[in-house]
Amino acid sequence: MKDPAALRILHQGRYHAAAQIQTQIFAAPGRVNLIGEHTDYAEGFVMPAAIDFATLAAISPRTDGQIVLYAENFAEERSYPAGSLPAAATGHWSDYPLGVLTILSGAGYQIPPLSLSLWGDVPLGSGLSSSAAVEVATATAVLGLLGAEIPGPQLARLCQRAENEFVRANCGIMDQFISANGKENHALLLDCRDLSFRLAPIPQNVALVIANTMVKHSVAGAGYTTRRAEVEEACAILATHRPEIKFLRDATPADLAAWGHEIPPNSLKRARHVITENLRTVAAADALLRNDLAELGRLMHEAHISYSQDFEGSCPEADTMVNLAQDLPGLIGARLTGGGFGGCTINLVEKQHAPTFAAALKERYRQSTGIHPEIHICHASAGAHPIL
Ligand code: GAF
């Protein structure tokens, strides 16, 4: 099904036996984050790249007043009268497209009766932003049907609102942003305060090797929510001394040295991670831009230690996956990527070594944990786009 032509045939077959009505196809990718974890909701910096896994959306108009959503991955359809979409999430896959339709409608876009077929290969629950890919694919498809355009940063914000306000998962902006704005062969340094960004080319001889620990990750899980609350608690305490600290983005290591003793121990550690991670992320983008891969790898390693020890956002399996990669030929840098408590590690690897690196890491991880991991050799791909 990776083939968009197959989705077009499937969609036409389900909804337009006569084939007079045109189906449009759009794609929106998942992502991997090279560095900058749990900094987006602190208005800090992140450096993700879009990856080759994506959600494809096929869309066409209807004449019967219905909004029909179909997910090929679940072989399931849901149908609603266009004027009365459900008002709340139900914990079903349809929450994501429905959230986007609801937010677009609230933003003034009249959603017409339509058929939307979704198919994706972003592994679910693996921390590679399958939800953002569905949201951005849906939004791009609906706008395509309407013949409307929204600049990528704004589109990302609407999709984030769908996840925050409809799905009720308290994520930041990173995942939707990179899915909407990624560029082939580039990582993107995003300032989550004003959504300005810089693109950094990923050298041709570098592969993104994504290693799935097979431990499920969820942004809706307790870990993500607790950590976010701890980050906000630390910020509120620092702000009593320096009111200009609105988010941890505004705080410095000197602030922690001066007032850290007032912050409860766990929140202090989370704050130390976020504050140092922001510095590392900007430094990592500079290193990538000047092709200093050794420095980039060193910063990724430091970031993993900070994520694991200060943020306590890793898990034994992810620490194992990172450790097992360290002495394999070709490794530039390895760390747990995404929201944490499971999911995938990102390994930057010299391309010529990538296949042997992947095979060796797979075998080492299997021997040491008894779990069969999925390992993918990816490259940085383009953000959301129509497929002609
Ligand atoms: C998840 C969230 F969706 C992002 O917004 C971000 O906070 C990330 O975890 C952690 O960096 O992917």
mmCIF file of all heavy atoms in Angstrom, residues 31 33 36-41 46 127 129 160 163 170-176 217 219 224 228 307 335 338-340, ligand 1:
data_model
loop_
_atom_site.group_PDB
_atom_site.id
_atom_site.type_symbol
_atom_site.label_atom_id
_atom_site.label_comp_id
_atom_site.label_asym_id
_atom_site.label_seq_id
_atom_site.Cartn_x
_atom_site.Cartn_y
_atom_site.Cartn_z
ATOM 1 N N ARG A 31 8.256 11.662 12.073
ATOM 2 C CA ARG A 31 9.513 12.371 12.306
ATOM 3 C C ARG A 31 10.411 11.631 13.271
ATOM 4 O O ARG A 31 9.970 10.775 14.037
ATOM 5 C CB ARG A 31 9.255 13.778 12.855
ATOM 6 C CG ARG A 31 8.628 13.841 14.255
ATOM 7 C CD ARG A 31 9.613 14.057 15.380
ATOM 8 N NE ARG A 31 8.966 13.918 16.680
ATOM 9 C CZ ARG A 31 8.937 12.792 17.353
ATOM 10 N NH1 ARG A 31 9.467 11.703 16.862
ATOM 11 N NH2 ARG A 31 8.351 12.737 18.551
ATOM 12 N N ASN A 33 13.442 12.959 16.096
ATOM 13 C CA ASN A 33 14.048 14.181 16.644
ATOM 14 C C ASN A 33 15.523 13.920 16.912
ATOM 15 O O ASN A 33 15.866 12.999 17.651
ATOM 16 C CB ASN A 33 13.321 14.581 17.942
ATOM 17 C CG ASN A 33 13.751 15.965 18.423
ATOM 18 O OD1 ASN A 33 14.315 16.747 17.638
ATOM 19 N ND2 ASN A 33 13.504 16.272 19.683
ATOM 20 N N GLY A 36 16.816 17.833 21.380
ATOM 21 C CA GLY A 36 15.875 18.862 21.840
ATOM 22 C C GLY A 36 14.596 18.181 22.309
ATOM 23 O O GLY A 36 13.562 18.271 21.667
ATOM 24 N N GLU A 37 14.691 17.492 23.459
ATOM 25 C CA GLU A 37 13.534 16.702 23.908
ATOM 26 C C GLU A 37 12.856 17.367 25.107
ATOM 27 O O GLU A 37 13.521 17.793 26.059
ATOM 28 C CB GLU A 37 14.019 15.302 24.282
ATOM 29 C CG GLU A 37 13.160 14.199 23.746
ATOM 30 C CD GLU A 37 13.053 14.147 22.226
ATOM 31 O OE1 GLU A 37 13.937 13.543 21.605
ATOM 32 O OE2 GLU A 37 12.086 14.711 21.663
ATOM 33 N N HIS A 38 11.534 17.465 25.037
ATOM 34 C CA HIS A 38 10.709 18.111 26.068
ATOM 35 C C HIS A 38 11.098 19.575 26.243
ATOM 36 O O HIS A 38 11.006 20.127 27.328
ATOM 37 C CB HIS A 38 10.781 17.355 27.396
ATOM 38 C CG HIS A 38 10.032 16.056 27.336
ATOM 39 N ND1 HIS A 38 8.738 15.923 27.778
ATOM 40 C CD2 HIS A 38 10.382 14.855 26.837
ATOM 41 C CE1 HIS A 38 8.333 14.665 27.563
ATOM 42 N NE2 HIS A 38 9.318 14.005 26.992
ATOM 43 N N THR A 39 11.518 20.175 25.160
ATOM 44 C CA THR A 39 11.826 21.606 25.169
ATOM 45 C C THR A 39 10.759 22.394 24.421
ATOM 46 O O THR A 39 10.671 23.603 24.578
ATOM 47 C CB THR A 39 13.184 21.849 24.477
ATOM 48 O OG1 THR A 39 13.213 21.054 23.286
ATOM 49 C CG2 THR A 39 14.344 21.441 25.369
ATOM 50 N N ASP A 40 9.942 21.708 23.605
ATOM 51 C CA ASP A 40 9.005 22.479 22.757
ATOM 52 C C ASP A 40 7.947 23.194 23.585
ATOM 53 O O ASP A 40 7.666 24.373 23.371
ATOM 54 C CB ASP A 40 8.397 21.624 21.624
ATOM 55 C CG ASP A 40 7.598 20.401 22.046
ATOM 56 O OD1 ASP A 40 7.587 20.069 23.261
ATOM 57 O OD2 ASP A 40 6.969 19.772 21.156
ATOM 58 N N TYR A 41 7.383 22.508 24.600
ATOM 59 C CA TYR A 41 6.353 23.181 25.408
ATOM 60 C C TYR A 41 6.965 24.128 26.434
ATOM 61 O O TYR A 41 6.251 24.814 27.156
ATOM 62 C CB TYR A 41 5.401 22.163 26.069
ATOM 63 C CG TYR A 41 6.109 21.097 26.883
ATOM 64 C CD1 TYR A 41 6.572 21.356 28.151
ATOM 65 C CD2 TYR A 41 6.286 19.812 26.359
ATOM 66 C CE1 TYR A 41 7.210 20.368 28.892
ATOM 67 C CE2 TYR A 41 6.924 18.828 27.084
ATOM 68 C CZ TYR A 41 7.382 19.113 28.355
ATOM 69 O OH TYR A 41 8.014 18.136 29.094
ATOM 70 N N VAL A 46 14.140 22.680 19.204
ATOM 71 C CA VAL A 46 14.129 21.254 18.841
ATOM 72 C C VAL A 46 14.791 21.122 17.472
ATOM 73 O O VAL A 46 14.840 22.097 16.713
ATOM 74 C CB VAL A 46 12.688 20.683 18.770
ATOM 75 C CG1 VAL A 46 12.026 20.681 20.131
ATOM 76 C CG2 VAL A 46 11.822 21.469 17.771
ATOM 77 N N GLY A 127 6.857 6.419 19.047
ATOM 78 C CA GLY A 127 7.496 7.717 19.267
ATOM 79 C C GLY A 127 7.956 8.377 17.979
ATOM 80 O O GLY A 127 8.820 9.255 17.998
ATOM 81 N N SER A 129 5.702 9.846 15.857
ATOM 82 C CA SER A 129 4.666 10.829 15.518
ATOM 83 C C SER A 129 3.660 10.367 14.480
ATOM 84 O O SER A 129 3.341 11.091 13.529
ATOM 85 C CB SER A 129 5.299 12.144 15.038
ATOM 86 O OG SER A 129 6.048 12.681 16.049
ATOM 87 N N GLN A 160 -1.772 20.976 16.015
ATOM 88 C CA GLN A 160 -1.442 20.842 17.441
ATOM 89 C C GLN A 160 -2.689 21.120 18.285
ATOM 90 O O GLN A 160 -2.967 20.421 19.261
ATOM 91 C CB GLN A 160 -0.324 21.806 17.828
ATOM 92 C CG GLN A 160 0.091 21.658 19.300
ATOM 93 C CD GLN A 160 0.797 22.888 19.860
ATOM 94 O OE1 GLN A 160 0.831 23.948 19.224
ATOM 95 N NE2 GLN A 160 1.352 22.759 21.050
ATOM 96 N N GLU A 163 -4.900 18.200 18.529
ATOM 97 C CA GLU A 163 -4.441 17.191 19.489
ATOM 98 C C GLU A 163 -4.655 17.674 20.931
ATOM 99 O O GLU A 163 -5.058 16.916 21.801
ATOM 100 C CB GLU A 163 -2.971 16.837 19.231
ATOM 101 C CG GLU A 163 -2.492 15.721 20.103
ATOM 102 C CD GLU A 163 -1.581 14.714 19.421
ATOM 103 O OE1 GLU A 163 -1.425 14.745 18.193
ATOM 104 O OE2 GLU A 163 -1.022 13.884 20.154
ATOM 105 N N ASN A 170 -1.589 16.563 25.657
ATOM 106 C CA ASN A 170 -0.994 17.871 25.899
ATOM 107 C C ASN A 170 0.372 18.032 25.215
ATOM 108 O O ASN A 170 1.332 18.449 25.862
ATOM 109 C CB ASN A 170 -0.841 18.006 27.426
ATOM 110 C CG ASN A 170 -0.942 19.433 27.857
ATOM 111 O OD1 ASN A 170 -1.241 20.310 27.052
ATOM 112 N ND2 ASN A 170 -0.663 19.685 29.136
ATOM 113 N N CYS A 171 0.462 17.713 23.949
ATOM 114 C CA CYS A 171 1.767 17.752 23.265
ATOM 115 C C CYS A 171 2.173 19.179 22.928
ATOM 116 O O CYS A 171 1.355 20.100 22.947
ATOM 117 C CB CYS A 171 1.679 16.941 21.974
ATOM 118 S SG CYS A 171 0.572 17.658 20.771
ATOM 119 N N GLY A 172 3.445 19.351 22.597
ATOM 120 C CA GLY A 172 3.933 20.638 22.099
ATOM 121 C C GLY A 172 3.761 20.715 20.585
ATOM 122 O O GLY A 172 2.980 19.952 19.998
ATOM 123 N N ILE A 173 4.543 21.590 19.941
ATOM 124 C CA ILE A 173 4.349 21.883 18.514
ATOM 125 C C ILE A 173 5.273 21.078 17.599
ATOM 126 O O ILE A 173 5.071 21.008 16.394
ATOM 127 C CB ILE A 173 4.573 23.411 18.256
ATOM 128 C CG1 ILE A 173 4.273 23.824 16.811
ATOM 129 C CG2 ILE A 173 6.006 23.828 18.599
ATOM 130 C CD1 ILE A 173 2.826 23.851 16.468
ATOM 131 N N MET A 174 6.300 20.427 18.185
ATOM 132 C CA MET A 174 7.357 19.861 17.329
ATOM 133 C C MET A 174 6.841 18.914 16.241
ATOM 134 O O MET A 174 7.205 19.057 15.068
ATOM 135 C CB MET A 174 8.376 19.113 18.196
ATOM 136 C CG MET A 174 9.336 18.269 17.371
ATOM 137 S SD MET A 174 10.720 17.675 18.284
ATOM 138 C CE MET A 174 9.999 16.437 19.352
ATOM 139 N N ASP A 175 6.024 17.952 16.615
ATOM 140 C CA ASP A 175 5.711 16.866 15.697
ATOM 141 C C ASP A 175 4.895 17.355 14.502
ATOM 142 O O ASP A 175 5.173 17.007 13.348
ATOM 143 C CB ASP A 175 4.955 15.753 16.433
ATOM 144 C CG ASP A 175 5.753 15.226 17.614
ATOM 145 O OD1 ASP A 175 6.943 15.579 17.735
ATOM 146 O OD2 ASP A 175 5.189 14.476 18.428
ATOM 147 N N GLN A 176 3.893 18.181 14.795
ATOM 148 C CA GLN A 176 3.059 18.710 13.709
ATOM 149 C C GLN A 176 3.893 19.649 12.839
ATOM 150 O O GLN A 176 3.723 19.699 11.618
ATOM 151 C CB GLN A 176 1.843 19.452 14.278
ATOM 152 C CG GLN A 176 0.827 18.560 14.966
ATOM 153 C CD GLN A 176 1.237 18.152 16.381
ATOM 154 O OE1 GLN A 176 2.222 18.647 16.932
ATOM 155 N NE2 GLN A 176 0.475 17.246 16.980
ATOM 156 N N HIS A 217 5.269 3.723 23.386
ATOM 157 C CA HIS A 217 5.311 5.098 23.874
ATOM 158 C C HIS A 217 3.930 5.721 23.673
ATOM 159 O O HIS A 217 3.252 5.423 22.692
ATOM 160 C CB HIS A 217 6.357 5.890 23.075
ATOM 161 C CG HIS A 217 6.016 7.345 22.967
ATOM 162 N ND1 HIS A 217 6.352 8.244 23.951
ATOM 163 C CD2 HIS A 217 5.334 8.041 22.030
ATOM 164 C CE1 HIS A 217 5.884 9.449 23.607
ATOM 165 N NE2 HIS A 217 5.268 9.344 22.453
ATOM 166 N N VAL A 219 2.044 9.787 24.157
ATOM 167 C CA VAL A 219 2.034 11.171 24.676
ATOM 168 C C VAL A 219 0.896 11.343 25.677
ATOM 169 O O VAL A 219 0.947 12.198 26.558
ATOM 170 C CB VAL A 219 1.861 12.166 23.496
ATOM 171 C CG1 VAL A 219 1.505 13.548 23.974
ATOM 172 C CG2 VAL A 219 3.135 12.238 22.688
ATOM 173 N N TYR A 224 4.476 11.442 30.386
ATOM 174 C CA TYR A 224 4.589 12.720 29.661
ATOM 175 C C TYR A 224 3.919 13.832 30.466
ATOM 176 O O TYR A 224 4.464 14.915 30.654
ATOM 177 C CB TYR A 224 3.943 12.585 28.280
ATOM 178 C CG TYR A 224 4.186 13.774 27.364
ATOM 179 C CD1 TYR A 224 5.277 13.790 26.501
ATOM 180 C CD2 TYR A 224 3.342 14.878 27.382
ATOM 181 C CE1 TYR A 224 5.513 14.881 25.662
ATOM 182 C CE2 TYR A 224 3.564 15.968 26.559
ATOM 183 C CZ TYR A 224 4.645 15.964 25.693
ATOM 184 O OH TYR A 224 4.869 17.049 24.878
ATOM 185 N N ARG A 228 5.760 17.077 32.236
ATOM 186 C CA ARG A 228 5.399 18.431 31.820
ATOM 187 C C ARG A 228 4.994 19.273 33.038
ATOM 188 O O ARG A 228 5.377 20.438 33.163
ATOM 189 C CB ARG A 228 4.260 18.369 30.789
ATOM 190 C CG ARG A 228 4.008 19.704 30.189
ATOM 191 C CD ARG A 228 3.140 19.689 28.965
ATOM 192 N NE ARG A 228 2.885 21.092 28.623
ATOM 193 C CZ ARG A 228 2.443 21.532 27.484
ATOM 194 N NH1 ARG A 228 2.176 20.692 26.528
ATOM 195 N NH2 ARG A 228 2.240 22.824 27.270
ATOM 196 N N TYR A 307 18.545 13.124 29.359
ATOM 197 C CA TYR A 307 17.159 12.654 29.214
ATOM 198 C C TYR A 307 16.918 11.469 30.165
ATOM 199 O O TYR A 307 15.873 11.377 30.816
ATOM 200 C CB TYR A 307 16.942 12.218 27.756
ATOM 201 C CG TYR A 307 15.489 12.123 27.303
ATOM 202 C CD1 TYR A 307 14.438 12.626 28.054
ATOM 203 C CD2 TYR A 307 15.172 11.533 26.074
ATOM 204 C CE1 TYR A 307 13.127 12.541 27.608
ATOM 205 C CE2 TYR A 307 13.866 11.448 25.623
ATOM 206 C CZ TYR A 307 12.841 11.951 26.395
ATOM 207 O OH TYR A 307 11.537 11.871 25.956
ATOM 208 N N ARG A 335 20.770 8.388 20.628
ATOM 209 C CA ARG A 335 19.978 8.796 21.795
ATOM 210 C C ARG A 335 18.531 8.347 21.606
ATOM 211 O O ARG A 335 18.101 8.049 20.492
ATOM 212 C CB ARG A 335 20.035 10.310 22.025
ATOM 213 C CG ARG A 335 19.649 11.150 20.819
ATOM 214 C CD ARG A 335 19.648 12.624 21.131
ATOM 215 N NE ARG A 335 18.548 12.944 22.020
ATOM 216 C CZ ARG A 335 17.285 13.112 21.638
ATOM 217 N NH1 ARG A 335 16.924 13.008 20.359
ATOM 218 N NH2 ARG A 335 16.352 13.382 22.506
ATOM 219 N N GLY A 338 12.051 11.408 20.809
ATOM 220 C CA GLY A 338 10.610 11.536 21.017
ATOM 221 C C GLY A 338 10.221 11.656 22.483
ATOM 222 O O GLY A 338 11.062 11.914 23.349
ATOM 223 N N GLY A 339 8.935 11.453 22.737
ATOM 224 C CA GLY A 339 8.344 11.745 24.046
ATOM 225 C C GLY A 339 8.818 10.884 25.202
ATOM 226 O O GLY A 339 8.649 11.243 26.366
ATOM 227 N N GLY A 340 9.424 9.732 24.928
ATOM 228 C CA GLY A 340 10.086 8.978 25.985
ATOM 229 C C GLY A 340 9.306 7.814 26.574
ATOM 230 O O GLY A 340 8.215 7.475 26.103
HETATM 231 C C1 GAF B 1 6.105 14.199 21.965
HETATM 232 C C2 GAF B 1 5.300 15.480 21.866
HETATM 233 F F1 GAF B 1 4.251 15.310 21.013
HETATM 234 C C3 GAF B 1 6.179 16.647 21.398
HETATM 235 O O1 GAF B 1 5.432 17.828 21.405
HETATM 236 C C4 GAF B 1 7.417 16.778 22.285
HETATM 237 O O2 GAF B 1 7.086 17.346 23.532
HETATM 238 C C5 GAF B 1 8.112 15.427 22.439
HETATM 239 O O3 GAF B 1 7.217 14.405 22.843
HETATM 240 C C6 GAF B 1 9.227 15.488 23.449
HETATM 241 O O4 GAF B 1 10.270 16.261 22.954
HETATM 242 O O5 GAF B 1 6.557 13.792 20.704
#
